[in-house]
Amino acid sequence: MIRMEQRTLGRTGRDVSVVGQGTWQLGGDWGEVRETDAFAVLDAAVESGVTFFDTADVYGDGRSEQLIGRYRKDRPDADILVATKMGRRADQIPENYVLDNFRAWNDRSRTNLGVDTLDLVQLHCPPTSVYSSDAVYDALDTLVAEQRIAAYAVSVETCAEALTAIARPGVASVQIILNPFRLKPLDEVLPRAAEAGVGIIARVPLASGLLSGKYTADTVFAPEDHRTYNRHGEAFDQGETFSGVDYATGVAAAAEFAGLVPEGATPAQTALRWIIQQPGVTSVIPGARSVDQARDNAAAAALPPLPQSTLDAIGELYDRRIRAEVHARW
Ligand SMILES: NC(=O)c1ccc[n+]([C@@H]2O[C@H](COP(=O)([O-])OP(=O)(O)OC[C@H]3O[C@@H](n4cnc5c(N)ncnc54)[C@H](OP(=O)(O)O)[C@@H]3O)[C@@H](O)[C@H]2O)c1
């Protein structure tokens, strides 16, 4: 097993690898993933030094959690921190974010993951008002007192939601979209999270794969893949698909991004390297659908930091091609 750089995940006080593993794909929501392949992806990540998995109760309606639960049982030596999420199996109304529902949601995740106490539970992009509800945080504190969960956190769509949650003393970490096509959290969220001792989990780091540079205008995604059916936010927040960037714009910008890649790295690894060197980031959680992707992503942790000239060129690319589409929205 390779040893990867570890960082403390905010107020959990626990260390996680700087490259973690996103597991939305393992639920089957990006097209079919067979069970043996899913285990192989998790194993490739762990063998490459990953000690942090991100999942949710809704990924494959529990399949992703169940696979992780079984994997973790097989590999007790791996010492993985599993962050799950709750809330999106219910109607998205603030009235559903109450203690009794939280208990029921936690209990289902505890069964799926095969643990008494969940390591970390994140509110899964709930309606905005939920982030400022005292009753919600009181209920989350109760779950900790009941030892259903060891710690709680939030996953957010916008910088404003992140700042609301960071102000609460019990929030361990914030999960937010951050990548070379999504720069706003750099100035608006990361410094405030660092001051407060709140961890930052960077999701959608490859802009749903765009930053790998492998797609063209003609690429066809599977019908059950959100990159087919959620391009304009038809099913959930548009920002979750290609990071909210129009597909044609993203393909053109990704081709330019590929021109900035240092020797010995791929565009996907360069995007991940860029994220993990941003002050305040704890862990980046790329999703992978194959063993090779999981290994390549983990290897980004060992790349040298990108030079200032590359950081400047990425900022310039964002300003020229991407900013107008996304900066004001999220
Ligand atoms: N609301 C929330 O809280 C929320 C929302 C979204 C995601 N997440 C979490 O964040 C994780 C990461 O985000 P994401 O999976 O949506 O997007 P992502 O990591 O930006 O993109 C994942 C896609 O990138 C491609 N890819 C991955 N590694 C690659 C490599 N080394 N080389 C080339 N291509 C590569 C694959 O595309 P192909 O399938 O085309 O090969 C993969 O499906 C998720 O898995 C999930 O755990 C949370």
Side-chain angles (χ1 to χ4, degrees):
M1 218 185 280
I2 295 169
R3 169 101 187 141
M4 191 191 291
E5 181 190 343
Q6 307 277 309
R7 294 179 186 168
T8 303
L9 183 55
R11 295 168 177 152
T12 67
R14 286 185 60 185
D15 286 352
V16 295
S17 52
V18 289
V19 178
Q21 179 71 48
T23 66
W24 185 10
Q25 284 73 3
L26 305 190
D29 305 307
W30 294 56
E32 173 68 18
V33 177
R34 284 179 307 160
E35 188 161 319
T36 45
D37 294 337
F39 278 115
V41 166
L42 296 177
D43 209 41
V46 166
E47 287 301 325
S48 307
V50 167
T51 63
F52 180 42
F53 291 165
D54 176 74
T55 184
D57 57 5
V58 74
Y59 295 164
D61 202 27
R63 183 181 191 239
S64 173
E65 285 187 333
Q66 289 164 9
L67 287 164
I68 289 172
R70 293 213 292 281
Y71 178 78
R72 197 152 66 161
K73 210 169 167 189
D74 285 353
R75 290 296 305 266
D77 58 311
D79 196 23
I80 303 154
L81 190 150
V82 178
T84 192
K85 310 188 197 80
M86 65 176 178
R88 295 198 75 91
R89 297 181 66 252
D91 289 343
Q92 293 300 289
I93 50 171
E95 293 73 19
N96 274 334
Y97 289 78
V98 294
L99 181 58
D100 278 349
N101 283 346
F102 289 173
R103 285 188 176 122
W105 299 341
N106 282 173
D107 291 350
R108 181 174 179 273
S109 291
R110 290 160 74 205
T111 303
N112 283 342
L113 284 162
V115 293
D116 291 334
T117 304
L118 298 164
D119 296 333
L120 181 67
V121 173
Q122 305 160 100
L123 293 175
H124 198 169
C125 298
T128 299
S129 65
V130 170
Y131 297 105
S132 42
S133 160
D134 291 343
V136 165
Y137 293 99
D138 288 347
L140 293 168
D141 287 333
T142 302
L143 301 174
V144 175
E146 292 173 348
Q147 298 186 342
R148 280 187 160 83
I149 66 176
Y152 60 83
V154 296
S155 183
V156 301
E157 300 291 3
T158 65
C159 291
E161 290 169 346
L163 295 177
T164 303
I166 287 168
R168 297 287 175 156
V171 171
S173 57
V174 168
Q175 182 177 137
I176 191 163
I177 298 181
L178 176 68
N179 63 49
F181 292 170
R182 182 70 75 90
L183 303 199
K184 193 170 174 183
L186 290 185
D187 296 332
E188 300 226 348
V189 177
L190 270 55
R192 302 281 296 280
E195 274 164 31
V198 170
I200 290 286
I201 301 169
R203 78 165 180 272
V204 194
L206 304 175
S208 312
L210 263 182
L211 283 158
S212 71
K214 67 184 174 183
Y215 311 133
T216 68
D218 303 325
T219 303
V220 176
F221 299 91
E224 68 274 26
D225 185 326
H226 70 99
R227 294 172 294 185
T228 299
Y229 67 77
N230 195 52
R231 284 195 185 188
H232 305 102
E234 296 88 335
F236 45 83
D237 195 283
Q238 189 181 349
E240 305 296 348
T241 302
F242 299 126
S243 207
V245 178
D246 163 73
Y247 183 68
T249 306
V251 168
E256 262 197 63
F257 179 78
L260 304 175
V261 168
E263 219 182 298
T266 66
Q269 289 173 325
T270 304
L272 300 178
R273 180 64 240 181
W274 177 88
I275 294 167
I276 61 185
Q277 77 188 67
Q278 302 303 327
V281 168
T282 310
S283 185
V284 61
I285 51 164
R289 286 214 295 176
S290 71
V291 163
D292 285 347
Q293 288 181 354
R295 284 195 190 121
D296 285 356
N297 294 340
L303 292 174
L306 299 171
Q308 189 59 45
S309 55
T310 305
L311 305 185
D312 292 345
I314 289 172
E316 190 278 324
L317 173 61
Y318 176 83
D319 286 345
R320 183 163 39 82
R321 286 202 182 261
I322 307 288
R323 177 183 280 270
E325 275 187 38
V326 304
H327 209 83
R329 281 188 79 180
W330 294 282

